[in-house]
Amino acid sequence: MSRIAYVNGSYVPHANACIHIEDRGYQFADGIYEVWAVRAGKLLDSSGHFRRMGRSLGELRIATPMSDGALDVVLHEVVRKNRVRDGLVYLQITRGVAPRDHAFPKDIVPSIVITAKSMNVAEAERKAQKGIAVITVPDERWTRCDIKSVSLLPNILAKQSAVEQGAYEAWMVDEKGMVTEGSSSNAWIITEGDVLVTRNLSNDILGGITRERVLKLAAERQLSVEERAFSLKEARKAKEAFISSSINLVTPITHIDKQPVGDGKPGAMACALRKDYLQSAAT
Ligand code: PMP
């Protein structure tokens, strides 16, 4: 079955989907993106992703190309046309096409691209059951990490370091030795005193939609939660650690920089929160 992409108002074969060479996304990374997980054909945490998309566009002063309602129809149509039951749908909006000039061009029309792909859920579950390894790298990003911008060079370099060291994710560490987040996920630990800790929202991290959901689930479980910075030193002594993202949901960490977290096995609370997430998302 051939894949279909949505590009500026048309559904086109994925293999022929094109954007102009003077698109500002291509030339300046002048754009934003969103990723929704799809489970049983449903977009998870849909409204949260719409809210963040609107915020990212607002921060960059990129016009909203269509209403949330219309966009929702297109997202579902791309999912349907690609017969995605479990997977993800990717949206990218850039400022648009114009002769190259740093300043915003007048009357520019945003470019919009939507793609969807299937994911092997059984494999994702196996990965979660086994747990993942993370490495750490210096956080070399700019000071507006709260915007979900397509400018991801430090993130891809961090992820590449992880892959080269046989790990799945890289945690980024600021100049004070505090963990900010993963290259494409939020970072969590559970302390020896059973406190769930994740970095507080600020310009230093992306406000994960999964993070938001996990905080709600933790409250339902009446866990002690602290939204604050934690150091790499504290993470190394943690009882459990995990990442959260639309793609990975909640995935336990077994090793940080090759050192075991706790007993080196996926933590019980991380596994429970993943289950809670899947259950709550399915309703
Ligand atoms: N931080 C970064 C840097 C990310 O790229 C992502 C994934 N988009 C996240 C956190 C997690 O966000 P979400 O839960 O909304 O997928």
Side-chain angles (χ1 to χ4, degrees), residues 33 35 49 52 141 148 155 172 181-186 206-211 244-247:
Y33 72 107
V35 180
H49 288 280
R52 185 173 63 190
R141 299 174 301 161
K148 200 165 169 63
N155 306 59
M172 296 181 278
E181 60 184 332
S183 71
S184 59
S185 60
N186 287 113
L206 183 74
I209 304 305
T210 319
R211 175 189 179 281
S244 70
S245 75
S246 306
I247 293 171

Side-chain angles (χ1 to χ4, degrees), residues 188-192 194-197 238-242 269-270:
W188 302 73
I189 56 168
I190 298 171
T191 66
E192 290 205 304
D194 287 322
V195 181
L196 183 60
V197 185
K239 192 168 166 184
E240 297 188 26
F242 63 89
M269 190 48 68

Side-chain angles (χ1 to χ4, degrees), residues 158-220:
K159 177 79 176 190
Q160 182 60 22
S161 294
V163 169
E164 284 169 7
Q165 293 179 51
Y168 178 72
E169 177 60 303
W171 273 8
M172 296 181 278
V173 180
D174 68 17
E175 71 288 349
K176 294 190 185 118
M178 311 302 258
V179 175
T180 50
E181 60 184 332
S183 71
S184 59
S185 60
N186 287 113
W188 302 73
I189 56 168
I190 298 171
T191 66
E192 290 205 304
D194 287 322
V195 181
L196 183 60
V197 185
T198 193
R199 185 137 174 157
N200 52 294
L201 293 182
S202 73
N203 291 358
D204 297 335
I205 64 165
L206 183 74
I209 304 305
T210 319
R211 175 189 179 281
E212 211 172 287
R213 168 78 71 165
V214 171
L215 286 172
K216 281 191 199 131
L217 296 169
E220 283 167 22

